[in-house]
């Protein structure tokens, strides 16, 4: 553990720390243009800040957009050391600000995350998250630096060159999106490089949804132990939560800095442990841009088991099942892309490259077509029909399935694109 004094803090002490930090947060919010006046004075006197949270309003992405760019910044402009932005493609980005103190906390939590994945001081990290406004590249970089690793800041793209660098520089760890990890595996295969004979031992993968089936494929192909890292720029970037390599089961949320709630996305009422709902996070130590009850849009459940073989006391959440706004509704049936992925990858003859394209038929009905690549080599007859049949049987969903040849689907830089919605385009077409 990088910071056992925090990561293994006894539960009672952790609760106490959260209460203290929430009280200080109420005070700090007074300096934020958005929150000024949002926290009633009476709250400061309450003995139970964690319980009091439930009476406070949520903050949403729309609030951040409306306040663009400075409306949430709670420190003088001169105290802001760094800006990043969310990777959202719709409309204006949301800008996030950091003080020196925020950057230090961020480096700490990412160092913790890397250590949980198996990294140690002196190890080498091949960091293939994009550098720039996106928090992945610099976030992992600072954390690796803090842990005392050697960082190879390779960023995204140029996959063949990356394979050569892995062969030559012999990194212990890899950090990138799960889809890029697969691309590296494909490129190694193309180049005749055997991953079993490379130095990589662990991979820290996140920034996009992925499934257990995807983990199995990545671990088998790259010969690494793969753990899931979660975060979002609004809260800090990567390092909000991480799986430990001991259990690889649920992500420990670094609760001394980020207070989690899971709520019903419609009513906002708390969900019990084990029940899936929207993750809501409150920052406990953030200076430049403290956030109160931020609705992440990510669907998770809190695990009810508290103790973990790794010794961390921080609560765990399930991997992200999907986003509130990602749920597909195809002819009245609701489905998350991750459920489709799970079924596709249960076919050994299919590759983990896929996307679902939504269109609208002439009679106004939604049509969903899954395009999935097959593995190289012989393919069973009627594979597409078998896949469609299994999707129908397990999800109650009628989808068209198109099995594409290896390499046929586009590989976006950055996050994987699993859902392509072409329905609006049909509507906007001239009559
Ligand atoms: O993706 C931060 C990050 C960088 C996390 C590197 C992990 C590794 P944003 O660009 O603001 O920040 O996007 C945040 O990405 O709300 C989730 O919907 C999704 N996401 C992030 N990590 C995971 C994950 C970074 N492990 C949004 N599993 C979040 C599923 C994830 N979704």
């Amino acid at each position: 553990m990088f910071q056992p004094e925090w990561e293994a803090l006894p539960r009672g002490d952790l609760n106490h720390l959260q209460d203290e930090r929430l009280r200080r947060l109420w005070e700090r919010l007074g300096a934020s243009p958005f929150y000024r006046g949002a926290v009633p004075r009476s709250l400061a006197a309450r003995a139970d800040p964690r319980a009091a949270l439930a009476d406070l309003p949520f903050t949403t992405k729309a609030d951040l957009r409306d306040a663009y760019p400075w409306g949430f910044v709670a420190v003088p402009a001169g105290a802001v050391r760094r800006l990043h932005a969310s990777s959202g493609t719709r409309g204006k980005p949301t800008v996030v600000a950091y003080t020196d103190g925020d950057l230090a906390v961020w480096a700490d939590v990412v160092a913790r995350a890397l250590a949980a994945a198996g990294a140690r001081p002196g190890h080498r990290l091949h960091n293939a998250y994009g550098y720039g406004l996106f928090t992945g590249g610099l976030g992992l970089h600072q954390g690796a630096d803090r842990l005392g690793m050697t960082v190879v800041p390779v960023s995204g793209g140029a996959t063949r060159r990356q394979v050569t660098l892995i062969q030559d520089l012999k990194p212990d760890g890899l950090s990138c999106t799960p889809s890029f990890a697969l691309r590296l595996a494909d490129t190694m295969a193309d180049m005749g490089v055997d991953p079993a004979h490379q130095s990589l031992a662990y991979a820290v993968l996140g920034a996009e949804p992925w499934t257990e089936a995807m983990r199995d494929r990545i671990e088998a192909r790259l010969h690494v132990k793969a753990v899931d890292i979660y975060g979002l720029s609004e809260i800090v970037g990567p390092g909000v939560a991480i799986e430990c390599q001991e259990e690889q089961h649920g992500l420990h949320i670094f609760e001394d800095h980020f207070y989690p709630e899971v709520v019903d996305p419609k009513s906002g009422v708390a969900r019990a442990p084990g029940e899936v709902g929207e993750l809501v996070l409150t920052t406990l130590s953030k200076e430049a841009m403290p956030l109160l009850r931020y609705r992440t849009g990510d669907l998770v459940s809190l695990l009810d088991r508290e103790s973990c073989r790794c010794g961390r006391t921080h609560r765990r959440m399930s991997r992200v099942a999907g986003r509130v706004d990602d749920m597909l509704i195809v002819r009245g049936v609701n489905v998350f892309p991750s459920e489709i992925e799970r079924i596709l990858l249960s076919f050994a003859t299919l590759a983990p490259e896929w996307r679902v394209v939504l269109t609208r038929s002439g009679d106004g009905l939604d049509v969903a077509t899954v395009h999935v690549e097959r593995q190289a080599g012989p393919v069973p007859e009627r594979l597409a029909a078998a896949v469609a049949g299994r999707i129908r049987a397990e999800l109650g969903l009628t989808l068209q399935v198109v099995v594409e040849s290896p390499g046929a689907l586009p590989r976006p830089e950055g996050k994987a694109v699993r859902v392509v919605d072409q329905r609006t385009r049909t509507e906007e077409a001239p009559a």
Side-chain angles (χ1 to χ4, degrees):
M1 254 180 255
F2 178 64
Q3 294 182 314
E5 67 282 21
W6 299 109
E7 295 172 72
L9 200 62
R11 190 72 233 178
D13 295 349
L14 191 51
N15 293 343
H16 182 71
L17 179 79
Q18 291 177 329
D19 285 339
E20 278 304 302
R21 290 191 168 173
L22 280 171
R23 281 197 195 92
R24 265 183 272 147
L25 174 69
W26 306 156
E27 286 162 22
R28 264 207 316 281
L29 289 181
S32 158
F34 179 83
Y35 290 118
R36 197 164 293 145
V39 177
R41 279 182 180 283
S42 56
L43 213 66
R46 278 190 56 172
D48 53 353
R50 279 171 296 137
L53 256 189
D55 300 330
L56 293 175
F58 293 113
T59 308
T60 63
K61 184 114 185 159
D63 294 330
L64 288 183
R65 285 216 185 93
D66 292 347
Y68 174 87
W70 309 122
F72 275 83
V73 175
V75 294
V80 175
R81 281 283 88 70
R82 176 94 65 77
L83 297 171
H84 278 281
S86 75
S87 51
T89 48
R90 274 167 271 168
K92 288 217 161 139
T94 45
V95 170
V96 289
Y98 303 76
T99 62
D100 276 332
D102 294 332
L103 291 174
V105 166
W106 188 15
D108 280 344
V109 291
V110 174
R112 291 180 191 179
L114 285 163
R120 297 292 174 266
H123 279 191
R124 221 164 281 149
L125 182 71
H126 182 99
N127 185 22
Y129 283 115
Y131 281 65
L133 283 174
F134 175 53
T135 51
L138 281 163
L140 267 289
H141 187 113
Q142 296 155 176
D145 212 29
R146 174 62 55 92
L147 184 61
M149 303 178 79
T150 305
V151 195
V152 186
V154 65
S155 199
T159 323
R160 291 178 84 86
R161 190 169 65 116
Q162 298 218 14
V163 171
T164 306
L165 284 170
I166 290 172
Q167 286 180 288
D168 295 343
L169 304 181
K170 308 200 179 336
D172 305 276
L174 166 70
S175 46
C176 61
T177 57
S179 50
F180 192 74
L182 283 168
R183 201 160 332 146
L184 279 175
D186 286 343
T187 309
M188 283 186 185
D190 286 350
M191 292 169 69
V193 174
D194 181 359
H197 295 128
Q198 303 308 309
S199 55
L200 289 174
Y202 49 87
V204 187
L205 309 179
E208 65 188 20
W210 54 311
T211 53
E212 285 302 316
M214 183 76 102
R215 189 209 310 268
D216 293 344
R217 298 273 180 119
I218 292 171
E219 291 193 331
R221 294 198 58 199
L222 279 181
H223 293 261
V224 293
K225 193 154 203 175
V227 301
D228 192 4
I229 183 168
Y230 170 82
L232 61 166
S233 28
E234 297 91 311
I235 296 298
V236 77
V240 171
I242 185 83
E243 276 178 342
C244 55
Q245 58 158 358
E246 286 84 350
E247 293 210 357
Q248 287 181 301
H249 177 66
L251 292 83
H252 292 278
I253 304 167
F254 291 127
E255 281 190 84
D256 51 337
H257 295 299
F258 317 110
Y259 185 82
E261 299 171 81
V262 173
V263 305
D264 179 318
K266 288 219 174 71
S267 68
V269 173
R271 284 266 159 96
E275 287 177 7
V276 175
E278 182 176 355
L279 178 67
V280 171
L281 291 167
T282 296
T283 62
L284 294 178
S285 52
K286 197 105 184 276
E287 295 170 341
M289 237 182 87
L291 289 185
L292 185 65
R293 307 194 81 206
Y294 183 68
R295 298 192 70 144
T296 63
D298 294 319
L299 293 165
V300 304
S301 59
L302 288 173
L303 270 56
D304 41 16
R305 197 145 41 95
E306 282 203 351
S307 69
C308 182
R309 275 210 316 256
C310 70
R312 289 178 183 81
T313 50
H314 296 204
R315 270 179 294 177
R316 278 179 280 176
M317 65 178 204
S318 65
R319 61 164 67 248
V320 174
R323 286 189 55 79
V324 174
D325 46 15
D326 246 14
M327 191 167 68
L328 301 172
I329 306 180
V330 183
R331 304 198 180 186
V333 180
N334 301 357
V335 66
F336 283 111
S338 59
E339 296 176 89
I340 298 176
E341 179 175 294
R342 179 177 58 77
I343 293 177
L344 295 177
L345 296 196
S346 66
F347 288 83
T349 41
L350 292 179
E353 292 289 347
W354 68 277
R355 51 177 34 190
V356 51
V357 179
L358 301 173
T359 49
R360 191 152 285 163
S361 68
D363 52 8
L365 287 176
D366 290 345
V367 179
T369 309
V370 174
H371 296 261
V372 57
E373 284 183 17
R374 58 180 173 76
Q375 307 273 34
V379 171
E381 263 181 57
R382 297 185 44 79
L383 178 59
V387 175
R390 198 172 296 173
I391 291 176
R392 200 175 319 111
E394 290 199 28
L395 304 179
L397 196 67
T398 303
L399 298 181
Q400 326 248 14
V401 174
V402 179
V403 176
E404 309 270 6
S405 50
L409 293 176
R411 266 70 168 163
E413 280 261 324
K415 304 191 184 211
V417 176
R418 297 301 184 201
V419 181
V420 180
D421 194 343
Q422 297 178 340
R423 288 176 296 188
T424 41
R425 217 179 290 165
T426 319
E427 278 167 5
E428 281 164 12

